[in-house]
Amino acid sequence: MAHHGEHHYNLEQRFDFTAATKKSIMTVLVIGAILLGIGIVLAMTGGHHEEAGEAGGHAFHWYERLYANLWINNVFFTGIAIVGVFFFAIQFAAQAGWSTPLLRVMLSFGNWLPIAGLLMIATFFLANHDLFHWTHAYLFDQNDPQYDKIIDGKGAFFYWPMEKGTFPVFYIARMVLFFGFWVLFFNKFKKISDQEDQLGGTSHWFKMRSWSAYFLVFFAVSSSISAWDWVMSIDTHWFSTLFGWYVFASWFVSGLSAITLLTIFLKGRGYLEMVNENHVHDLGKFVFGFSIFWTYLWFSQFLLIYYANIPEESVYFIERLSSDVYGGFIFVNLGLNFFLPFLVLMTRDSKRHGVFLKLVCTILLVGHWVDFFLMIQPGTLGHNGGIGFMEVGMFLVYGSAVALVVLGGLAKKNLIAKNHPMLEESYHHHI
């Protein structure tokens, strides 16, 4: 077993979620809430003058911006939570040994999933007409002057088996199904992990491997469809065939950055002493590699649409690039998510030292939030959007809530998979 040999690591260690750490996170939450409050007051008192929006000519109301922000953060943090579980499952599918001491760190992000699901469903019921153009019944009524043939053609994807324009049964059912199964798999992984800690042996590893395989198949389908449902359907006429990949790449980089930050945080507190700079280097390589992968997809989507020059497709980029509100953020998006990580993490040493990774992973988390902001706000708010107190405040509130839930979940169980058959191998990991 792993505790023989020359290594005397503490395999019973648990993360102690101290009052001081909780207080720091609560402070960020309170600051976020204050900024959010200021943002709401500014929006209510006409920091944004009410004018007819482009979509359907309705007057703009301050709460629409609040809803759009809820949606951005719901989608963004759901992605980080599910990627933690996904990366955990990948380790078993790939029979990876190096990552054994980090498994519980990855899995802990799944603790946010049940809350994320409830928030997502609640926000949809609260805000569907303000976020999703396709929820308006008149689009499906052939006698209405605002009848929309294209959206009517896509209506069954949202409303089946009900009448189009009534209640989006199929859409809600998919949302409930995806979150339900994600939480189910997450709980199954937790349960098998607990059994392995108590009983030892290799049977749990094999069991986890087959459950991981099922999960990965389900995740492949559900992550793409959820990207179409939750993000792409906002711009209902527009579609991109690689959009599921693109959202996944954005989620994956964010999730990897969060896993890396949590690992470095725990090491700084004296936990995970068997995790050395070789393990950190591997996390750095993942972050580096997938930030390039995200850029590749961003560019593929952009170049094909630019080159084909079909109005239905190019409108997506034109309304972002030519906008006073969003035009600059396209370049911020590429700068934060590609150029900075690419240049900073290029050398070997920068991927082995916490200080560089802390910087890059923090930048990437902000950068990919901006990515989702660019996917969601233009289609929901048009020229009434932007980044102000409300956006920053909501991001901080969500981020600190996720931190509390994830760290709280992490503190409940062993930090190390002490009976994992590949633990010894991970001690000797060297690159």
Side-chain angles (χ1 to χ4, degrees), residues 151-172:
I151 296 178
D152 190 24
K154 299 182 182 192
F157 185 64
F158 305 118
Y159 289 103
W160 178 89
M162 303 265 284
E163 184 79 16
K164 285 177 211 170
T166 49
F167 183 74
V169 180
F170 202 21
Y171 182 93
I172 304 269

Side-chain angles (χ1 to χ4, degrees), residues 86 98 149 218 242-243 254 258:
F86 166 73
W98 70 274
K149 192 168 178 220
F218 182 75
L242 60 73
F243 199 79
S254 314

Side-chain angles (χ1 to χ4, degrees), residues 392-404:
V392 176
M394 186 81 88
F395 179 57
L396 293 176
V397 167
Y398 262 83
S400 33
V402 171
L404 287 170

Side-chain angles (χ1 to χ4, degrees), residues 39-50:
I40 290 173
V41 170
L42 283 176
M44 286 171 80
T45 52
H48 300 277
H49 38 283
E50 309 225 334

Side-chain angles (χ1 to χ4, degrees), residues 3 15 81 104 138-139 196 270 290 296 410:
H3 32 80
F15 170 62
R104 301 291 159 83
Y138 58 75
L139 298 168
E196 182 186 76
F290 279 95
Y296 155 71
L410 194 63

Side-chain angles (χ1 to χ4, degrees), residues 328-395:
F329 285 114
I330 295 253
F331 300 100
V332 170
N333 192 14
L334 287 172
L336 294 179
N337 295 328
F338 174 61
F339 290 105
L340 271 165
F342 182 67
L343 296 170
V344 174
L345 288 184
M346 201 181 271
T347 62
R348 179 175 194 261
D349 281 353
S350 65
K351 293 193 277 283
R352 294 174 78 86
H353 292 107
V355 59
F356 289 108
L357 284 170
K358 269 190 223 169
L359 174 72
V360 169
C361 292
T362 310
I363 288 171
L364 279 168
L365 283 170
V366 173
H368 282 284
W369 181 90
V370 170
D371 191 22
F372 278 96
F373 157 84
L374 273 175
M375 288 187 242
I376 292 170
Q377 267 209 19
T380 50
L381 303 180
H383 53 81
N384 295 303
I387 291 185
F389 285 114
M390 201 191 281
E391 282 69 21
V392 176
M394 186 81 88
F395 179 57

